[in-house]
Amino acid sequence: SERFCLQYDANSLLYVSKAMDMFDISHSVTQRLDRQRADNQRACTSVCLDASEQPASDQGHSGVETGDEIMADLVRGVKAAMQPTLVLGVQSDILFPVRQQKEIADILRQAGNTRVTYYELDAIYGHDTFLIDVVNVGAAIKGHLENTH
C-alpha cells in the first residue's frame, strides 16, 4: 500500500470516482449530451467563450422518474451495443457491486443483445481482483473470447 500511495495522487482517484458515479448511458442523457455538444460546437465557431460564460451541465441526470422508466431509458441507450459482451463481476467488489454487473448484463439482453455473458468471480480482492487475480480473470476472458468466434 505504501508503493500505491507514492505512485498515485489521491485527488486523481476522487476525480475518477466522481466520473464513474456520473456515468450514465441512458438514451435520454446521451441524446441531451449530443444536443449540448452540437450547440457548443455552433457557439464555438462564432465566438470563444471565457470561463464565466461556459454553459452549465447537468450531465449524469436523466430526469426520468420511475424504476420502469429508468430501465426502459437504459435499454434504449444500449440498443446499438450488439457486439459480444462479457460482464465480469466480483463478489467482494464494492466499487462496482455484483448486483450492478448483473443489471448491466440484463439491460444489454433486454436491448436485444443475445451475445452477453455474465461471469462472477468469488475473490477476496474486491475491485482490485482485475489487477491481482490474473489467472481467474484471464480464464473468464479467454473463455468468452473462445466462445464468441
Side-chain angles (χ1 to χ4, degrees):
S1 65
E2 183 178 336
R3 189 179 95 195
F4 181 82
C5 292
L6 296 174
Q7 289 181 333
Y8 298 99
D9 178 359
N11 292 314
S12 67
L13 296 176
L14 294 173
Y15 282 101
V16 169
S17 178
K18 183 65 173 179
M20 290 185 300
D21 289 344
M22 292 178 64
F23 181 77
D24 188 338
I25 198 168
S26 64
H27 179 73
S28 60
V29 169
T30 54
Q31 292 297 304
R32 188 186 72 244
L33 291 174
D34 285 345
R35 287 190 303 273
Q36 185 179 22
R37 188 175 299 111
D39 291 346
N40 289 344
Q41 286 175 338
R42 282 191 295 277
C44 287
T45 59
S46 62
V47 65
C48 290
L49 301 176
D50 67 30
S52 64
E53 297 176 302
Q54 292 295 325
S57 173
D58 56 350
Q59 178 179 355
H61 302 284
S62 66
V64 178
E65 300 296 325
T66 70
D68 289 341
E69 290 174 326
I70 290 169
M71 290 302 285
D73 196 26
L74 288 168
V75 168
R76 282 192 309 273
V78 300
K79 278 282 189 197
M82 292 298 135
Q83 61 277 7
T85 305
L86 171 64
V87 180
L88 189 57
V90 178
Q91 291 178 359
S92 59
D93 188 346
I94 60 172
L95 187 58
F96 293 110
V98 165
R99 68 173 171 72
Q100 289 179 345
Q101 302 307 311
K102 289 178 183 176
E103 187 175 75
I104 289 168
D106 289 342
I107 288 167
L108 287 164
R109 289 182 187 117
Q110 288 177 36
N113 188 337
T114 59
R115 299 179 299 169
V116 177
T117 301
Y118 174 77
Y119 192 81
E120 189 171 308
L121 295 172
D122 181 16
I124 61 170
Y125 308 112
H127 189 70
D128 289 343
T129 296
F130 300 97
L131 302 171
I132 297 169
D133 191 356
V134 295
V135 171
N136 288 317
V137 172
I141 294 170
K142 181 178 185 279
H144 175 70
L145 293 174
E146 289 174 350
N147 290 326
T148 58
H149 287 95

